[in-house]
Every structure is written in C-alpha cells, then in structure tokens.
Amino acid sequence: MTCVITPQHMPESAPSLSSKAFDRNLGSPRTLVSWVLSLVACMLTVMACVPLFSVLIMLIWRGGTRLVQGGISVFTALPPSAMMKHGGGFGNALVGTLTMVGIASAIAVPFGVLAAIFLAEYGARSRFGTAVRFSAKIMTGLPSILAGVFAYASVVALTGGFSAVAGGVALSVLMIPIVMLTAEEAIKMVPQRMKEAAIGMGCTRAQVIWKIIVPTALPGILTGVMLAVARAAGETAPLIFTALASNYSWAIDHRQPFIHLMKPTASMAVFIYNSAGKPQDNLIELAWAASLVLVVMVLIFNIGGQLLSRRSRPAR
Amino acid sequence: MTAITETFRPPAAGPGDLPMAAGISQPPSGFDRLVDRSTRGFAWTFAAGTIVLLSFIVYEIGLASIPAVKHHGLSLITSGSWDVNKEYFGLRWPILGTIYSSVIALLIAGVFGVAIAVFLSQNFIPRRMEIVFKNIVELLAAIPSVVYGLWGIFVVIPLLRPPANALASHLGGWFPFLSGRLSGPGMLPAALVLAIMVLPTISAISYDSLISVNPKIKEAAYGLGATRWEAILKVILPTASTGIFGSIILGFGRAMGETMALAMLLGNVNHFSVSLLSPGNTLAALIANDFPEAAPAELDVLLFAGMTLLAITLLVNVLGALVIQFANRGRGGR
C-alpha cells in the first residue's frame, strides 16, 4: 500500500457521502450471493464429515456388540465354520496382519529412511535426487492392487506359493514412498545451524547424520513410519494375490519356526472381504467386529503419528 | 564427532608455540572413514533402489502380461465379450467402467473437495475449528477401503435403494442415467463411496494451493471492494487453479486404482451401461474378484488387465505430479 488515507486527510464533506456509498447493503444481490455461497460451502463441509461418523457409529454398534458378546475369544478363536451359528473369532487373521506388517516394516523402514537421507543430505538438488523423488511420488499413486500383482509376478512365482513373505513384500512397496517422503521432509527441517555446528567441530558427514540429524528428525521420521503402518494394515487388494487367506492358525513347530511364513496366511482385511459376501450372519457380525478392531488399530497409528509430527514441528 | 579419548593435558609451552597447539583434535580414524563411506553408499543405493523398484514393477507386470497378448492379440482391449468357459476375454467394458466410475466419483468429490478447501482456507471459521474439520476430512482417508466396502453393502445400498428406485420409476423412461432399477450393487453406491475415498486427496492438495496464493492479491481484491466470494471466485480460485487441477488429476488416478470398495459394491458384471443404477465392473475390481478362482488362461488375462491399469494410472499420475510441480514453481511463502 502506497497511500493511506486517514480520516484527518479526508475532505469535510466525505463522511456523509461515504456512509451511503460504501456501507454494506444486506439486501443487495452481491451480498446475498456471498451469503448463500458461504452457507453452501459450510454445508458441503459439514456433509463431508457425515460418512466418517456414520462408519464409526456402525462399527461401534455392530462390531462392538459382537466384541462384547464374544469377549476375548474373538481375538483368539479361529473363524467359525459354515455350520456354527455362534462363536468363532479372527485370531489367525490378527496374527497374520501383525506378521505381514512387521515384515513390510522391516523392509520399508531402512529403505525409506536411508533413501530420504540421500535425498535431503547428499543429493538434494542433483538431477538424480529429483528423479528419485519423482519416482517416489509416482509410487505413492500406484494402485495398491498393482503392488499385489507385482509381488505375485515376482515373489509368488519365484518361491512357488502364496506366503506371508510375499504379502509383506507387497505391503512394503506401498510403505516405502510414504516413509521416504515424510522422512525427507523431517530431515529437511533440522536447523542448518546444528549441522554447521557439528561440521565445525570436525564431524564427518556420517557423524553429522547419525548423531545430529537422525536423532533430531526422529519424531518426524516416526510419523512417516506410523502413517505407513496404518496404510499397510488396512490394505486388502495386495494380499489377495500374495498371502491369499487361510482358515487355520499356525501350529508352532519348534524345529522349523519360520516355515509358516512361506504358507498362505490370513489377514484382517482379507477376512473382512471374504466374510462380507457370505450368507451366514455369524460371519458378517464377525466381519464388523474385525473392522472395528482394524479401524481402531489404524486410527491409533494415524492419530499417534499426527500428534508426534505436531510436537516435533517448531512453533510458527 | 572425533572422539576425545584422552583427558586434556596442558602441552609443554615452548616459547614459539601457541597454547594448545599439540591439540586434542585428531583426523577421522579409519573406522570413521568407513562409516562415512558406507553411509553415503547405502543412502545412494537405496535412493537408486527407488528408481530400480519402480522400473522393476513396470517390467515384472509388463512381462506377466505378454502371454495374454500373444494369445488374444488386440481383441483383449476392443472386445466386449467375457466368457470364461469358451475363453473369450475382452476388457472393453471394465476399461469403460473404470473411467466412468472415476469420472462420476470425481464430479462429486471435486465439488465437495474444492468447497471444503475454500471453506477451510479463507478464514470463514476460527483457526481451531478449521483444524478440527481438516483432521476429520483427513481421517476419511485413513479408513481402510474394505471397511468402506462393508459399510457400503450394509448402509449405503439400503439407504439409496428406495429413493433411487422411486426416481427411476418416474424419470427412467426418458432419462438414461436413471433407467432400470437398483437391485443391490450398482454404479451409484460404488461411485458415491469412491468419491468419499478420493475426497481427502482433492481437498488436501487444493487447500495447499489455495493457502499459497499470495495474500497481496487477495487484499488487492478486497481493497477494490470485492465481496468475499467475488474475491474467491474471480481472483483466488483462478490463481490456485493449476494446483486444484493437479489435485483432481491425482484424485482421478487414485479413483481408477481403487479396488476393494468397487469389488464389493459394483456387482462384478462385465457389462456397461450409462445408467447409474446398473451394476458394472472396473479393471481393479475384475482382478480382485476373479483372481482367487481364476484358471491359468484367465489368470493371464487378469495380469494383462493389471498392465492396462498400470499404464493408465502411471500416465495420469505423472501428468498430475507434473501439473502440481508446475503450479508450485515460483511460489515463495504463503
């Protein structure tokens, strides 16, 4: 603004004129249109919140009822057979989901964090770094079912069968770009002064990274990991191709403790998908209960991650 | 930090020496150098691994789709017949269904998403409430799609059926979008749930591009006497339009790849109709529904369907990412 008109500079006649010409006329079409549009925008925003609450209410109502009725056995028992009108649970699916998300994290976290360190510290502005970042962004948009097709064509075809490992690989493809891009942002936010102080004290590049940058950026990196875990835990499509499903739990065999990782494995998401289309009410009730458990798991990771990121961010 | 192993001992001060010239600092040890080299090496390897992984995904899926192409040729895309027993496989209707369901979902999610982004970015409500609403919309993306599918089957479809069928019986005769009846799964519930799922993508990216509009432009519009919505519609939205356009393209890519909700709500019928009430199919839903029980001949075709989906979504996603990159170029602070 170059010219500020204060009341003292105004001509004597101005106030009476301005009160007419510049006052807001509530009845004028321009004001009315503005009001109506504001109302519409407000209504659309409120309406967009309805599905979330509808989903949550249904989950608590239908899934919660089943959980209360079934008690702890819902978490430990095997899925009911078609004849069973009551009872049963999704113990094997819970174990399967935790295992596969664990395998996926074991692959995706080191991969994503190290690649993020490269992007933020070594190759931030290089052409190679830009290409890497662009690939990661494209991978975030990769349909999850294609991660499944990929793991089917590579891991399943190679090892000769559906397995928890193949499921873990498929999920890790979805987790890597999330971990990587979030970790890069977190690392970039480490103050330049801290790095310079460390270098000034004679640190090598690796020492700056492992002793200064990673500990400082840790909350942000953990946010990315938690968001990625939340995403992976809820994925269904990639698991249909890779882990398939199983109605049985793992018999623990002490001689070959890892043999079951190479067998078809149940998961919460696939259990919900398979049960939703079944005619038995018992299975459908269990699907609601499994959905409630899955959503609670996912929301805990999601909200936890966001709280962490809020705490780590410097106040604006 | 170079480890300080020795305790500090004052050096014997000679006449020409600066104090402490014998020093406690030392060059990096061999181990330090090794850690430094390997950190750099591993970081580079995994960064390169990202590009390799993406290429490997494209390569593997492409390789898996070759047998079907060899066996069926071009009729895979152009033919509309699908008979597993006679081994007629044509993906025309699933491809059309993929695009149609995504376009309808985007029409709904675009209106809602941009309205939400405007409402939350232009100081309509106190900052605290903006954050609450923003988090609620973001949580929509956190719900797993299979849960949306379950919710769609038991809540959305029963809710939509009576009004949709009532409308259809009045208008169905001349209005092609509402012909037939909604007997269960169909395009309308599927597209609606799909819209809910892509809404967070659109609103979040639109919000970012709206908030990065230079405030001077906005103030200039208000200074000229524009009402709030005149400023929004004529100045702010056009300025942010590239980013909003990018968000819609990315939402389109996401909608086309979405699988479970459509597999559960669209009916898995290899047929296509413009009517919102009739069932249909999409590429992703077809793969998910048929894969567990597919015979080898059909499996090849499903892998080819995966390749088609990959080609379409890669194209759309690259386009969207480029548009957003272009939109963010030259934008400084907020």
Side-chain angles (χ1 to χ4, degrees), chain A residues 1 30-31 33-35 37-38 41-42 44-49 51-56 58-59 62 110-111 114-115 117-118 122 128 130-132 134-146 149-150 152-154 162 173 176 180 201-207 209-212 234-237 240-241 244 269 272-273 276 284 287-288 291 294-295 298-299 302-303 306 310 316, chain B residues 1-3 28 32 35-36 39-40 42-44 46-51 53-54 56-57 60-61 64 111-112 115-116 119-120 124 127 131 133 135-140 142-148 150-151 153-155 196 199 219 225-230 233 253-254 256-260 263-264 284-285 287-289 291-292 299 303 306-307 309-310 313-314 317-318 321-322 325 334:
Chain A
M1 281 170 282
R30 292 174 63 203
T31 327
V33 165
S34 202
W35 266 98
L37 285 175
S38 299
C42 178
L44 289 180
T45 308
V46 172
M47 270 168 75
C49 301
L52 183 73
F53 290 109
S54 171
V55 169
L56 291 181
M58 282 304 284
L59 285 175
R62 295 196 63 169
F111 193 124
L114 276 166
I117 287 173
F118 180 86
Y122 292 114
F128 175 63
T130 314
V132 171
F134 195 76
S135 316
K137 276 186 186 155
I138 297 301
M139 271 173 74
T140 55
L142 188 79
S144 63
I145 193 166
L146 291 180
V149 173
F150 161 70
Y152 174 80
S154 54
F162 300 102
V173 169
I176 286 169
M180 196 165 135
M201 288 168 76
C203 286
T204 63
R205 205 78 185 267
Q207 283 166 334
I209 288 169
W210 294 119
K211 294 187 176 156
I212 307 292
E235 279 297 344
T236 319
I240 296 178
F241 296 88
L244 218 58
I272 297 168
Y273 171 58
I284 290 173
W288 279 105
S291 302
L294 189 61
V295 166
V298 166
L299 286 188
N302 216 300
I303 295 174
Q306 279 174 13
R310 201 158 301 155
R316 273 195 274 182
Chain B
M1 280 151 276
T2 316
D32 288 336
V35 171
D36 192 45
T39 299
R40 194 191 172 93
F42 276 117
W44 188 88
F46 283 114
T50 313
I51 300 180
L53 183 61
L54 186 62
F56 192 52
I57 291 172
E60 278 286 348
I61 297 178
V111 171
F112 274 87
I116 291 170
F119 188 68
L120 297 184
F124 278 96
R127 177 117 185 92
I131 293 174
F133 274 110
N135 284 341
I136 291 177
V137 173
E138 272 171 20
L139 282 184
L140 280 176
I143 306 276
S145 72
V146 69
V147 175
Y148 275 123
L150 191 72
W151 176 71
I153 291 176
F154 291 101
V155 178
I196 295 170
L199 178 66
E219 277 156 22
T227 64
R228 197 200 284 258
W229 278 92
E230 281 166 351
L233 291 177
R254 197 139 294 182
M256 287 197 301
E258 185 43 57
T259 314
M260 297 322 293
M264 293 165 89
I287 304 172
N289 272 320
F291 183 85
L299 194 63
L303 290 173
M307 175 70 209
L309 183 62
L310 178 69
T313 46
L314 269 190
N317 280 330
V318 169
L322 286 178
Q325 217 163 45
R334 34 187 65 185

Side-chain angles (χ1 to χ4, degrees), chain A residues 95-139:
Chain A
V95 173
T97 290
L98 294 179
T99 310
M100 285 189 281
V101 171
I103 295 173
S105 309
I107 302 172
V109 172
F111 193 124
V113 171
L114 276 166
I117 287 173
F118 180 86
L119 283 187
E121 286 302 309
Y122 292 114
R125 279 158 207 274
S126 68
R127 190 170 288 183
F128 175 63
T130 314
V132 171
R133 199 175 294 117
F134 195 76
S135 316
K137 276 186 186 155
I138 297 301
M139 271 173 74

